[in-house]
């Protein structure tokens, strides 16, 4: 079973600060996805990274896929209260498999 | 983007009764649908994978006789929690996918068993 460990588990910071969330595994993933989930709602896909070393930017969010495709990070610049939520990384359970394994999650709170 | 709906969005039932949750892909045909369970402050755990017209594949530790899944068409899958107990209270989320495309998640159904 491929496990995805996220750190930190909880993060509470002031508006305007920067932060990084990590997603680590001992297994290689063909791709990794990042989702944000708000209370009482389903997760919403933010990005998919496919190539080792890939960096993708989505406004103030920067996603990186490790060279070995075993880890990924999400960096948020100048965090805003709207960034509050549960951030989840996820990857295919097996190569070519549609099943997703979700990370342990990082609950982010941005204090106005 | 593709839209997936769930019904109901929340339900309260008495212990021992059964509850059915629907998952629909509104604007595309989903070859595969997935059912997840999420406890408070935790991540999503895959319960089962269902393909249209065939039996669902359950993850280890998930009781198939308790969580009945029917994927009757390419746009509808249902999850029935049979003889529900308070420990079945959880947030149930479905997702729908097509081969080669991403999964699209529904808004979730909160089940409370009293």
């Amino acid at each position: 079973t491929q496990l995805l460990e996220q750190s930190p588990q909880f993060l509470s910071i002031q508006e305007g600060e920067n932060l990084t969330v990590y997603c680590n595994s001992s297994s290689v993933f063909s791709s990794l996805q990042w989702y944000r989930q708000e209370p009482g709602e389903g997760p919403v896909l933010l990005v998919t990274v496919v190539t080792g070393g890939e960096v993708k930017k989505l406004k103030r969010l920067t996603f990186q896929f490790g060279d070995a495709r075993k880890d990924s990070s999400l960096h948020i610049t100048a965090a805003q209260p709207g960034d509050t939520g549960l951030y989840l990384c996820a990857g295919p359970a097996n190569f070519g498999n549609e099943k997703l394994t979700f990370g342990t999650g990082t609950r982010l709170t941005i204090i106005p | 983007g593709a839209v997936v709906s769930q019904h109901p969005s929340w339900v309260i039932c008495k212990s021992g009764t059964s509850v059915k949750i629907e998952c629909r892909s509104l604007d595309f045909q989903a070859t595969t649908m997935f059912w997840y369970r999420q406890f408070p402050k935790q991540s999503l755990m895959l319960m089962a994978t269902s393909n249209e017209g065939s039996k669902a594949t359950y993850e280890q530790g998930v009781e198939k006789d308790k969580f009945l899944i029917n994927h009757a068409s390419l746009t509808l899958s249902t999850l029935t929690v049979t003889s529900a107990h308070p420990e079945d209270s959880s947030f149930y989320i479905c997702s729908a996918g097509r081969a080669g495309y991403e999964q699209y998640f529904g808004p979730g159904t909160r089940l409370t068993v009293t």
Side-chain angles (χ1 to χ4, degrees), chain A residues 6 9-10 33 35 37-45 48 86 88-89 97-100 102-105 107, chain B residues 31-32 34 36 38 41-44 46 49 51 59 91 93 97-103 105-108 110:
Chain A
Q6 288 184 237
Q9 186 177 359
F10 299 96
Q33 299 178 330
Y35 294 83
Q37 184 184 24
E38 300 197 23
E41 299 182 12
V44 175
L45 179 66
T48 301
L86 177 66
L88 298 161
C89 63
N97 198 314
E98 293 178 288
K99 291 200 308 184
L100 287 177
F102 275 85
T104 48
R107 188 162 297 278
Chain B
T31 51
T32 308
F34 303 88
Y36 297 84
Q38 185 177 33
K41 303 188 188 302
Q42 293 188 23
S43 186
L44 278 69
L46 180 65
T49 303
N51 293 290
E59 294 300 300
F91 194 50
I93 304 172
R98 296 170 289 176
Y101 292 85
E102 67 187 72
Q103 290 183 31
F105 286 82
R110 181 157 306 282

Side-chain angles (χ1 to χ4, degrees), chain A residues 2-103:
Chain A
Q2 295 176 299
L3 299 176
L4 287 165
E5 294 284 340
Q6 288 184 237
S7 62
Q9 186 177 359
F10 299 96
L11 184 58
S12 183
I13 64 171
Q14 294 286 337
E15 180 177 0
E17 294 184 353
N18 302 331
L19 66 109
T20 302
V21 176
Y22 299 93
C23 172
N24 294 294
S25 175
S26 58
S27 304
V28 175
F29 282 85
S30 57
S31 64
L32 278 179
Q33 299 178 330
W34 283 93
Y35 294 83
R36 180 170 64 220
Q37 184 184 24
E38 300 197 23
E41 299 182 12
V44 175
L45 179 66
L46 297 174
V47 79
T48 301
V49 286
V50 179
T51 307
E54 182 178 7
V55 176
K56 281 191 174 179
K57 288 195 172 187
L58 186 65
K59 297 184 180 177
R60 294 176 294 102
L61 278 61
T62 301
F63 304 85
Q64 188 163 8
F65 200 11
D67 291 339
R69 290 186 288 141
K70 291 183 178 181
D71 57 86
S72 182
S73 64
L74 157 60
H75 182 79
I76 300 180
T77 304
Q80 298 178 0
D83 296 327
T84 294
L86 177 66
Y87 287 81
L88 298 161
C89 63
N94 292 293
F95 271 84
N97 198 314
E98 293 178 288
K99 291 200 308 184
L100 287 177
T101 295
F102 275 85

